[in-house]
């Protein structure tokens, strides 16, 4: 299901693809990162084209709860545990500048922003320890955090950190404004232009199904990097989480702050007009036994605190975690200084995307600020290496489990999954993925074309998801997102 942000009818004009056109900068992906990057380059007089596989802002950015906050759950202690205080300080400085940039931009562009206090709250003892740690690490980095037990929320908490005067908005309003401003400066935005490859020549050539374009530089702002150079797909952990919108709640019961739980499985809560938005249920892509069950548990939790809540919408989206908790931004190895990437906001991309965009532009024009330099030159610690090894072990386990399950489960001739279900099994020597949706049964190869993981059925989104590196496919096999360059092949029954 799509998020509530897509309910509002908005015109986001775009451009025709011009084969063989030449630009200073080609930006791949029209999410928040791509649009801010493109706008900043256009403001410097560069010619820019944004090539988007689907719709402008239609993927992670459209799924976001869009809490724009310098207090980000328990993110700072994660970065501190895996790096150094100097990196936390740099992250906080970058986030602060991104916050100011975003709010300044929104004010100039007429995008509605509501100022709200942000809370990182705990409901159990482990959470309380995280609240304490976030307070200490954040204060050391200069954030004006307050510790409080006085959390005015309709659910029980045992402590929280508060940062006053943060913000919430509608991310698609922001996207529409960025796109319009970019085009007003001569920037080009092309939808339905999936990029299939980039050659780092002089100039660089970007290949799409519509044709090629060339440019001085190419910026990958696609969530998971779509090029395997630098093996970044193996350095980030793809995580999906849910957003749910509820109506039927008395105005007095709606939260007037933004809440992010720091316990395991912590939930976020904010309002949007007369609606309540609840987020949570983060899990590894393709690794949950039932996404629908996770969504139901979030609904149950919400109704236990707001009994009149009526579910209007349930959606999920994907973001990427790095081993050290700091985004990967910069020049791609073997990209000859022509290909750049930005990814890994760990669910805090409202400010993370803006920080990353500013870094990409500074890398090119050569005006890196001290916080950017610190982030670029951070040293990988043994703890971060341990986190990366843990994720790679999970990938190896998912690979073995997927193949093991497929090979030991023969698909019977004529076997048809019930409505809304999908099942993986072996047909002859081939692992196949078969689903039935709206009465239509479709059989595909179950092997992800990226690195041969066996896909699993996502019973909430009715998609096939790869548990290795987060590629996702429609029930008929087309790529939705992730590093896979092509879809799942049809399998003839
Ligand atoms: C459920 C959820 C809630 C969240 N809540 C918050 C929050 O409250 N606060 C916060 O700060 N952050 C939040 N985030 C994180 C934030 O939304 C994301 O980090 C941010 O939107 C990422 O932006 P992006 O531009 O990197 O990615 P995207 O918006 O996904 O943009 C990438 C674009 O690249 C395109 N693309 C991919 N491959 C290709 C290709 N081959 N060719 C062309 N185009 C391609 C995609 O179609 C997509 O449009 C949340 C995320 C989720 C999933």
């Amino acid at each position: 299901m799509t998020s509530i942000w897509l309910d509002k009818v908005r015109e986001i004009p775009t451009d025709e693809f011009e084969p063989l056109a030449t630009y200073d900068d080609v930006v791949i992906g029209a999410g928040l990162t791509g649009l801010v990057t493109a706008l900043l380059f256009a403001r410097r007089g560069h010619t820019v084209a944004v090539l988007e596989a689907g719709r402008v802002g239609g993927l992670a950015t459209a799924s976001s709860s869009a809490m724009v906050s310098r207090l980000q759950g328990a993110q700072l202690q994660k970065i501190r545990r895996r790096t150094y205080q100097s990196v936390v300080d740099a992250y906080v400085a970058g986030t602060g500048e991104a916050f100011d940039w975003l709010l300044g931009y929104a004010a100039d562009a007429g995008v509605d922003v509501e100022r709200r206090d942000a809370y990182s709250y705990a409901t159990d003892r482990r959470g309380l320890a995280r609240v304490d740690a976030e307070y200490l690490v954040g204060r050391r980095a200069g954030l004006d955090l307050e510790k409080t037990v006085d959390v005015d929320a309709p659910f029980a908490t045992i402590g929280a950190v508060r940062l006053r005067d943060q913000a919430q908005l509608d991310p698609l309003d922001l996207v529409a404004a960025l796109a319009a401003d970019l085009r007003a400066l001569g920037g080009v935005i092309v939808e339905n232009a999936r990029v299939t490859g980039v050659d780092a020549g002089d100039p660089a050539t970007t290949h799409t199904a519509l044709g090629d374009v060339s440019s001085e530089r190419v910026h990958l702002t696609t969530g998971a990097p779509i090029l395997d150079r630098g093996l970044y797909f193996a350095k980030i952990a793809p995580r999906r989480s849910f957003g749910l919108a509820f109506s039927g709640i008395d105005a007095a019961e709606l939260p007037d702050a933004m809440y992010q739980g720091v316990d395991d499985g912590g939930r976020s809560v904010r309002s949007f007009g007369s609606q309540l938005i609840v987020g949570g249920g983060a899990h590894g892509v393709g690794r949950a036994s039932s996404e629908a069950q996770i969504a139901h548990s979030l609904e149950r939790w919400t109704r236990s605190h707001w009994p009149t809540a009526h579910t209007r919408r349930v959606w999920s989206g994907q973001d990427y975690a790095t081993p050290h908790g700091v985004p990967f931004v910069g020049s791609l190895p073997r990209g000859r200084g022509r290909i750049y990437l930005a990814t890994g906001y760990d669910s805090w991309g409202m400010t993370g995307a803006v920080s990353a965009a500013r870094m990409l532009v500074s890398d090119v024009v050569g005006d890196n600020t001290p916080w950017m330099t610190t982030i670029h030159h951070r040293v990988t610690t043994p703890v971060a290496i341990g986190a990366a090894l843990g994720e790679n072990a999970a990938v190896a386990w998912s690979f073995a489990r997927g193949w093991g399950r497929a090979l030991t489960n023969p698909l019977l001739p004529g076997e048809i999954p019930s409505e809304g279900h999908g099942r993986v099994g072996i047909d002859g020597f081939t692992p196949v993925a078969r689903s039935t949706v709206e009465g239509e049964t479709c059989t595909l190869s179950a092997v992800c074309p990226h690195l041969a993981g066996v896909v699993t059925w996502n019973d909430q989104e009715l998609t096939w998801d790869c548990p290795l590196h987060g590629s996702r496919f429609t029930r008929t096999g087309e790529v939705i997102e992730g590093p896979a360059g092509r879809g799942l092949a049809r399998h003839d029954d």
Side-chain angles (χ1 to χ4, degrees), residues 28-35 51-69 72 193-196 221-224 226 239-243 260 268 270 315-319 342-343 345-353 480-482:
I28 308 177
L32 186 56
T33 315
L35 290 171
L51 304 178
E52 164 56 46
R55 305 293 308 277
V56 172
L59 215 54
T61 301
S63 307
S64 187
S65 299
M67 301 185 293
V68 186
S69 177
Q72 303 182 339
R194 182 170 290 282
V195 172
T196 51
T221 58
T222 49
I226 54 160
R239 311 271 299 157
R240 276 195 93 67
S241 55
F242 289 89
Q260 176 64 55
S268 68
R270 63 163 278 194
W315 68 91
S316 64
Q318 196 155 308
D319 208 353
T343 187
Y345 311 128
D346 214 355
S347 293
W348 291 104
M350 285 294 115
T351 48
I480 301 171
E481 62 189 307

Side-chain angles (χ1 to χ4, degrees), residues 394-431:
V395 168
W397 165 243
S398 299
F399 181 87
R401 191 171 61 164
W403 276 90
R405 278 186 182 163
L407 294 175
T408 52
N409 276 297
L411 213 59
L412 305 174
E415 183 182 338
I416 294 185
S418 55
E419 177 61 34
H421 287 75
R423 132 141 167 79
V424 171
I426 192 91
D427 183 21
F429 295 106
T430 315

